[in-house]
Amino acid sequence: MLKKIILGTANFENKYGSYSKKKKLNISEIFKILNIANKRGIKEIDTSCNYGESENVIKSIFNAKKFHKWKINTKIDRRYLKKNYISEKNLNEIIDKFQNKLNTILA
């Protein structure tokens, strides 16, 4: 049984995926996708710092009030880890950085 659908954003402003390899999705297409997802009860998206401009696109669109209750998931890229050094302090710094970044998207 399907419990949850999370909308991926790798193709937001990037040439990614089978549809987008030849062209980027523009803001109006992205907004349309988010509106349809919102109407269908999908209120969670997945993003990454590796997705180019997708986080900036999400930030600009999420300023619209209708998206203020959405949940945003992101991934921490290994380039943010100090070379050969993984510690609780290091990971906490990275998590804080990403939480602050997500908070600016939802602000």
Side-chain angles (χ1 to χ4, degrees):
M1 173 186 246
L2 184 64
K3 292 188 176 204
K4 184 191 312 188
I5 296 175
I6 299 171
L7 183 64
T9 63
N11 63 347
F12 287 14
E13 286 292 308
N14 293 299
K15 290 182 180 179
Y16 179 86
S18 59
Y19 172 77
S20 302
K21 285 197 179 183
K22 296 180 182 164
K23 74 176 200 101
K24 295 179 180 181
L25 293 174
N26 62 44
I27 294 289
S28 64
E29 291 170 315
I30 294 167
F31 195 75
K32 185 176 182 179
I33 290 167
L34 290 171
N35 271 321
I36 292 168
N38 195 44
K39 287 177 186 175
R40 297 292 307 266
I42 300 168
K43 298 185 186 301
E44 193 166 344
I45 62 171
D46 170 75
T47 190
S48 171
C49 59
N50 294 327
Y51 295 172
E53 291 298 310
S54 71
E55 289 179 336
N56 291 328
V57 170
I58 292 164
K59 182 177 181 176
S60 67
I61 291 174
F62 271 48
N63 287 330
K65 297 263 184 207
K66 69 169 58 176
F67 300 117
H68 71 283
K69 290 188 177 181
W70 280 51
K71 185 175 181 181
I72 300 176
N73 301 298
T74 192
K75 291 172 264 331
I76 297 173
D77 188 293
R78 78 171 95 158
R79 66 186 159 160
Y80 288 96
L81 296 173
K82 294 177 183 168
K83 191 173 182 174
N84 298 321
Y85 182 69
I86 298 176
S87 70
E88 185 173 346
K89 181 180 181 224
N90 182 226
L91 291 173
N92 282 327
E93 287 172 0
I94 294 166
I95 291 167
D96 289 344
K97 178 180 179 169
F98 276 81
Q99 284 178 329
N100 289 333
K101 189 173 186 179
L102 290 177
N103 285 338
T104 64
I105 291 173
L106 294 172

